[in-house]
Amino acid sequence: MENVQNVQRLDCPVCGSKGSFVITTHQIDIPYFGPVLETTMICEKCNFRRSDVFPLEVREPKRYKLKIKSERDLNKRVVRSSSAYIQIPELGVEIKPGPLAEGFVSNVEGVLNRVDNILQTLIRWAETEEQKKKAEEIRERIKKLKEGKDEATLILIDPLGHSAIIGEGVEEEILSEEEVEKLKEGIVIMDLDKEKEKK
């Protein structure tokens, strides 16, 4: 059930325009995850944009893993807060949280589309042909994943527990205190050996 959204207008903290900064918040109840508050901030003048997702219940720090094997997996729900890391080891993709990280509610296909958009930007700004070629190869693998012709693992790690991958076949692990501390220090451990052992 979705609550009535709340809209506020403020002066933009980026460009200073009066009343152009629109903050929209609304609560969404996500099955198997619980209630979250989705917040979007947009300046109508300078087009600054930021969004985030906050769970309204206290949650444990977790790691979620989903093996993307078929087109059905593309529809599994993904809740990503600005504190979450996204990894797709087979593609060499790692997205770290930071000051400009955005939270979102989407699905696996939406995550792949976001990665593809980043790659398109990288191709435009690439300094060498080798960088362009590598990015194009990853884009081709993403296309195959979306067609169900390739496999990869989507990993979502959130030390604050504000994120999740929801659906059948998702592995869920509570992070140890040591792992949470390493994430706070900016160290992300990708244990590919464990992944290989499970295959």
Side-chain angles (χ1 to χ4, degrees), residues 38-50:
E38 201 173 26
T39 304
T40 305
M41 296 169 274
I42 302 172
C43 177
E44 296 172 338
K45 293 289 184 185
C46 70
N47 293 321
F48 171 82
R49 179 186 174 91
R50 177 156 172 76

Side-chain angles (χ1 to χ4, degrees), residues 60-163:
E60 295 178 295
K62 287 192 178 176
R63 177 189 296 106
Y64 294 85
K65 296 180 186 176
L66 172 66
K67 190 73 175 176
I68 307 167
K69 297 179 179 177
S70 70
E71 292 181 65
R72 280 196 318 273
D73 293 322
L74 300 175
N75 295 320
K76 291 188 169 70
R77 182 72 65 98
V78 177
V79 181
R80 191 253 180 157
S81 80
S82 58
S83 59
Y85 296 77
I86 296 173
Q87 300 171 347
I88 309 174
E90 296 88 342
L91 305 184
V93 170
E94 182 180 340
I95 302 171
K96 296 181 180 180
L100 298 177
E102 287 194 334
F104 57 81
V105 179
S106 186
N107 58 18
V108 172
E109 184 173 13
V111 173
L112 294 175
N113 288 340
R114 285 169 182 265
V115 172
D116 189 56
N117 289 338
I118 293 168
L119 289 167
Q120 289 179 57
T121 302
L122 288 175
I123 288 166
R124 285 195 297 272
W125 291 91
E127 294 178 1
T128 66
E129 285 302 315
E130 190 178 330
Q131 290 173 335
K132 284 184 183 180
K133 185 181 174 187
K134 180 66 177 168
E136 288 290 2
E137 286 171 1
I138 298 171
R139 287 195 70 208
E140 186 59 33
R141 284 202 68 183
I142 288 173
K143 183 182 174 189
K144 286 181 180 176
L145 276 171
K146 293 199 289 188
E147 293 170 348
K149 296 175 182 175
D150 201 350
E151 294 185 4
T153 311
L154 175 63
I155 303 173
L156 197 63
I157 304 170
D158 195 336
L160 301 182
H162 293 176
S163 306

